[in-house]
Amino acid sequence: MRIAQLLLIAFLCAAESLASCQDDGIWFRTNPTDDNEHAFKTADYVDRNVQEATAHGRFERDLDGLVEPLYGQHVPYRGSRAIDVSRSTEANTKLTQQPGTQSNLPKPSTKPSTTYRPIRRKNVTIGDGICQSIDIRNSAAAFEIMKDCQVIEGFLQIVLIENNSEKDFKQISYPKLREITGYFLLYRVNGLKTLSNLFPNLEVIRGNILLTDYAFMVYEMQNLQEIGLKKLTEISRGSVRIEKNPTLCYTNTVEWNKIVSAGENVIKDNGQEASCP
């Protein structure tokens, strides 16, 4: 009986101590309202940084998605299989061939077959001096489709011309072109040093079609030294992105805010003024 009383007293003491600890512990807990306020502040700070990083990543993803599927239209055509066909055929022959018998399968060729697609220049003219969207790539010779264009109703993208030199662009000029209703993209065009001779009378980029909020983009142009679009006075919609052009000079001397109606321009990682002529 005495043992039972002692156990009951011990149990009641333990319960009282636990309740006391819980009561005291309330003073050390953070106010839930404070936690929420801190969480919102942290989320807002992180969100701003994520938005800035995401904008750059989104532009590069859109750029890659835009140019890569079309890359290779005028280059040797090769199959896109990731597995070596000759190796897989040889392996299957060994697996299916019974001991003591000879396979009737033809031996795989060791030389990869390459089929060349003929280069076809489509007619982009849809009216008197009016052209549809134009994609120029792989060779400076592809510019010839623009010869009658005064207005491009859509975009103009000049991309992935990586095996040409400066002399290939000297005789290329389209003074008739005055307006692009979509966006204008220049991306990895080697040998081109200025746009002044290429499009001397381009006045307006409407921006009715944009690439990740941008109407005029000059990106990773290794030899470009100046923009040279002296007649360009208006970008009606969308902004400008000029980035990663190591020899491009004096980009900040152009008053882009007077040309661009709305939007935040991105001009960075271009040529150093100290090395400019």
Side-chain angles (χ1 to χ4, degrees), residues 150-195:
Q150 299 176 27
V151 176
I152 296 176
E153 288 195 349
F155 60 76
L156 171 60
Q157 52 186 40
I158 305 171
V159 300
L160 302 172
I161 301 177
E162 299 178 306
N163 297 316
N164 286 90
S165 60
E166 182 182 2
K167 64 181 180 62
D168 296 317
F169 293 98
K170 282 187 175 180
Q171 302 302 319
I172 300 176
S173 182
Y174 297 96
K176 294 181 180 180
L177 183 65
R178 284 177 164 77
E179 180 179 340
I180 300 170
T181 66
Y183 63 81
F184 181 16
L185 167 66
L186 288 156
Y187 175 54
R188 292 186 182 177
V189 181
N190 292 346
L192 184 62
K193 292 190 173 183
T194 178
L195 304 179

Side-chain angles (χ1 to χ4, degrees), residues 46-59:
V46 172
D47 187 57
R48 286 197 302 271
N49 286 275
V50 168
Q51 284 179 352
E52 184 178 347
T54 302
H56 178 74
R58 187 157 51 95
F59 170 72

Side-chain angles (χ1 to χ4, degrees), residues 243-255:
E243 183 179 0
K244 296 183 180 180
N245 308 289
T247 61
L248 182 59
C249 292
Y250 308 117
T251 53
N252 293 317
T253 61
V254 180
E255 295 183 296

Side-chain angles (χ1 to χ4, degrees), residues 92-128:
N92 289 335
T93 303
K94 291 180 180 179
L95 289 173
T96 56
Q97 187 174 350
Q98 297 296 327
T101 63
Q102 293 184 352
S103 172
N104 294 323
L105 293 174
K107 293 182 179 180
S109 174
T110 56
K111 295 182 179 180
S113 59
T114 301
T115 304
Y116 289 89
R117 292 179 177 176
I119 299 175
R120 292 179 294 177
R121 309 295 186 197
K122 68 176 184 178
N123 182 15
V124 297
T125 305
I126 57 177
D128 186 15

